[in-house]
Amino acid sequence: MIIKELFQKDIYRTINGVVYADKTDNDIVAQELDEYVLTGELKKYLNRLFEVYSESLKRADSGGHMGVWISGFFGSGKSHFLKILSYLFENRHVKINGETKQAIDFFRDKISDNMAFKMIEDAVKVPTDVILFNIDSLSFQNDEQAAVLKAFFGVFNRKRGFCFLYPHIAHVESFLVKKGVYEDFKKKFEALNGSSWETDREDYVFYADEMLQAIREALPNQSENAELADWITNGEKRYPLTIENFAREVADYVDTKGRRLLFMADEMGQFIGMDSNRMLNLQTIVENLGTQAKGKAWVFVTSQEDIDSVLGQKIQSKGNDFSKIQGRFYTRFSLSSSSIAEVIQKRILQKTPSAEKILSDTYVAQHDILLNQMDFDHGTPTMPRFTNAEEYCRSYPFAPYQFNLLQDVFDAIRSVGATGLNLSKGERSMLEAFQTALKAVGSSENGALVPLANFFPTVQSFLDGSVGRVIFNAQEIPGITEFDIELLKTLFLIRYLRNRRIPGTVQNLCVLTLSQVNADMVTHRRAIEDSLTRLEKENLVTRENEEFIFLTIEEQNITREIQNTEVSETRETRELAGLLFRDQFDGR
């Protein structure tokens, strides 16, 4: 049987493995809700979140417990979890298979605990507005003092239908709404200007006269207001852009609308970085929202690190006391990598009943061979292997160790700066990586395995040019084979690993490049050794004792310079004598 025929769902179908906060088309939302895997860990977090949230619905003031901090390493699914929460709290309506469903309906089969489901169902019936945004993609990166405030204020104003970029213009719009003349103002502005107010408002400085005239026509009592023109021209400087004003506006919104408001900021940890001003901004926003909105406005954020780690860095580097914000973010979740395997197995690796029978028979017949083939060197951390037929069926054609290892690989590559910024923003997901690797072997016969190099295309387009050139240049060298290139990619992927470090020994490379269940390991090992010889000869890798290491362009150049440096026999003798002299006499 061909591998692509083993699965319940088409492995070539489009899967939105990359989660974008601003992509909310019906089909995208429907697929995300329908295929979302609620793991055991996520069920626990979801129950805890709604316990806190449901309790806040019963009290008039729950300002102290209205912050949620979601952390997790790259690929752990925190952005996806945040987006699913946004659908759930808003109880989004979507059309799927010809019928309209609410977000809560997708969770009836995902949550087996009836009491827990009823608690969530009751909570999402409360009218709620959600503002989901990726804070790192907004236009306030260069603002050192109020970047976080401007981001929150901007998305809040956009939610109200007001100007995103300029809070003082949004303030004018809000004033016109309260006076009941906003729509009239927009009509008059378009009549004067020839284009809509929404189109031109962020370029208001070029349309100040038309804006002033439209306001005076909509509000005749302002026709003699001498300060109005100055406000339009210099309002950006005069308007008090403060967190207190923002919180007051939000409080007025939730009271007037009779709705709750949830701010969901993705990638907050990355946006804050080591900037203490931004952390103070966030802390004060959460505190003021808690006081002014009395628990009706919540703040959800995601971060690569948990809040204690982030605050620990800030306190150590700047000496600021951020203890208050820890209390505000009362609900904290740290998504682990343990759920990655479960998500991938359920979304793309579920097998048909006939395939499960075939794979179970294969495991029974080949399990001794598999154990031997996946035997890493003794100096390598313990790596998960196939333990039984059920595990083999769930993971095939991947090896169990690859689920956690790949996350470590991506995080390590990102942390050393070997990729562009997009990978660090989560523009590539673990789900997409596994689907890409799976499709590469989709037409192979049952018995094929996915080697580690199959994951290289996921990061290839985001690699720095120097790394990409190593692979490209190697392909142009006469005598370098396709297998050599695959081995070179494998050595790159494991080079920067730290906690789960895998030395590039021949034995480990035999395991990492394994592509068949019944491979002849003697022949495979010989092919690895021959390939390493060719790569080392071309200075693409270097050997340190029994370990082979991928070389960057700069390291290759240094190696060639060392090899091409001629050292005279006299100099060699002098250096050797100096070493011997120091060894014998320096310690006395």
Side-chain angles (χ1 to χ4, degrees), residues 43 96 108 273 283 285 343 381 398 405 409 412 479 482 496:
K43 287 178 183 177
I96 183 170
R108 293 185 188 277
Q283 172 178 308
I285 286 171
V343 171
F398 299 99
L405 176 63
V409 167
E482 184 177 343
Y496 300 105

Short mmCIF file of all heavy atoms in Angstrom, two decimals, residues 43 96 108 273 283 285 343 381 398 405 409 412 479 482 496:
data_model
loop_
_atom_site.label_atom_id
_atom_site.label_comp_id
_atom_site.label_asym_id
_atom_site.label_seq_id
_atom_site.Cartn_x
_atom_site.Cartn_y
_atom_site.Cartn_z
N LYS A 43 -7.41 20.87 27.76
CA LYS A 43 -8.67 20.73 28.48
C LYS A 43 -8.52 21.23 29.92
O LYS A 43 -9.40 21.92 30.44
CB LYS A 43 -9.11 19.26 28.48
CG LYS A 43 -9.61 18.76 27.15
CD LYS A 43 -9.98 17.28 27.23
CE LYS A 43 -10.41 16.76 25.86
NZ LYS A 43 -10.71 15.31 25.89
N ILE A 96 -20.66 25.72 7.86
CA ILE A 96 -19.86 24.56 7.53
C ILE A 96 -20.79 23.43 7.09
O ILE A 96 -21.81 23.16 7.74
CB ILE A 96 -19.00 24.11 8.74
CG1 ILE A 96 -18.12 22.93 8.37
CG2 ILE A 96 -19.84 23.82 9.97
CD1 ILE A 96 -17.07 22.59 9.42
N ARG A 108 -18.69 20.38 21.66
CA ARG A 108 -19.54 19.37 22.31
C ARG A 108 -18.89 18.00 22.30
O ARG A 108 -18.97 17.25 23.28
CB ARG A 108 -20.91 19.31 21.62
CG ARG A 108 -21.73 20.56 21.81
CD ARG A 108 -23.13 20.43 21.22
NE ARG A 108 -23.83 21.72 21.24
CZ ARG A 108 -24.46 22.20 22.30
NH1 ARG A 108 -24.49 21.50 23.43
NH2 ARG A 108 -25.06 23.38 22.25
N GLY A 273 10.32 42.14 24.66
CA GLY A 273 11.75 41.87 24.65
C GLY A 273 12.37 42.22 25.98
O GLY A 273 11.88 41.86 27.05
N GLN A 283 1.95 46.65 32.30
CA GLN A 283 1.54 46.54 33.70
C GLN A 283 0.51 47.61 34.05
O GLN A 283 -0.54 47.32 34.66
CB GLN A 283 2.77 46.69 34.61
CG GLN A 283 2.42 46.79 36.10
CD GLN A 283 3.66 46.90 36.96
OE1 GLN A 283 4.56 46.10 36.85
NE2 GLN A 283 3.69 47.89 37.84
N ILE A 285 -1.43 49.36 32.03
CA ILE A 285 -2.67 49.16 31.27
C ILE A 285 -3.56 48.15 31.97
O ILE A 285 -4.77 48.38 32.17
CB ILE A 285 -2.36 48.70 29.83
CG1 ILE A 285 -1.82 49.87 29.00
CG2 ILE A 285 -3.60 48.11 29.16
CD1 ILE A 285 -1.29 49.46 27.64
N VAL A 343 -1.39 16.40 18.68
CA VAL A 343 -2.05 17.25 17.68
C VAL A 343 -1.74 16.76 16.27
O VAL A 343 -2.64 16.63 15.43
CB VAL A 343 -1.61 18.72 17.85
CG1 VAL A 343 -2.12 19.57 16.70
CG2 VAL A 343 -2.11 19.27 19.17
N PRO A 381 21.27 12.03 24.65
CA PRO A 381 20.12 11.95 25.56
C PRO A 381 19.12 10.89 25.10
O PRO A 381 19.01 10.62 23.91
CB PRO A 381 19.51 13.35 25.50
CG PRO A 381 20.63 14.23 25.06
CD PRO A 381 21.49 13.40 24.16
N PHE A 398 6.62 8.68 10.79
CA PHE A 398 7.60 9.40 11.60
C PHE A 398 8.05 8.55 12.77
O PHE A 398 7.31 7.68 13.25
CB PHE A 398 7.00 10.72 12.11
CG PHE A 398 6.59 11.66 11.01
CD1 PHE A 398 5.26 11.76 10.61
CD2 PHE A 398 7.53 12.45 10.36
CE1 PHE A 398 4.87 12.61 9.60
CE2 PHE A 398 7.15 13.31 9.35
CZ PHE A 398 5.82 13.38 8.96
N LEU A 405 12.03 16.49 19.06
CA LEU A 405 13.32 16.93 18.53
C LEU A 405 13.16 18.08 17.55
O LEU A 405 13.94 19.05 17.59
CB LEU A 405 14.03 15.75 17.85
CG LEU A 405 15.35 16.10 17.15
CD1 LEU A 405 16.37 16.59 18.17
CD2 LEU A 405 15.89 14.89 16.39
N VAL A 409 14.95 21.68 17.46
CA VAL A 409 15.76 22.10 16.32
C VAL A 409 15.36 23.50 15.87
O VAL A 409 16.20 24.40 15.71
CB VAL A 409 15.61 21.10 15.15
CG1 VAL A 409 16.17 21.69 13.86
CG2 VAL A 409 16.32 19.79 15.47
N ALA A 412 16.28 26.13 18.47
CA ALA A 412 17.73 26.34 18.55
C ALA A 412 18.22 27.17 17.36
O ALA A 412 19.03 28.10 17.52
CB ALA A 412 18.45 25.00 18.59
N GLY A 479 31.06 15.42 -7.93
CA GLY A 479 31.30 14.27 -7.05
C GLY A 479 30.43 14.25 -5.81
O GLY A 479 30.34 13.23 -5.13
N GLU A 482 23.41 13.41 -4.21
CA GLU A 482 22.17 13.86 -3.56
C GLU A 482 22.12 13.40 -2.11
O GLU A 482 21.65 14.13 -1.24
CB GLU A 482 20.96 13.31 -4.33
CG GLU A 482 19.63 13.80 -3.80
CD GLU A 482 18.46 13.30 -4.61
OE1 GLU A 482 18.68 12.85 -5.76
OE2 GLU A 482 17.32 13.37 -4.10
N TYR A 496 22.92 23.21 16.20
CA TYR A 496 22.73 24.19 17.27
C TYR A 496 21.95 23.67 18.47
O TYR A 496 21.61 24.44 19.37
CB TYR A 496 22.04 25.44 16.70
CG TYR A 496 22.84 26.10 15.60
CD1 TYR A 496 22.46 25.96 14.27
CD2 TYR A 496 23.99 26.83 15.88
CE1 TYR A 496 23.19 26.56 13.25
CE2 TYR A 496 24.73 27.42 14.88
CZ TYR A 496 24.32 27.27 13.56
OH TYR A 496 25.06 27.86 12.55
#
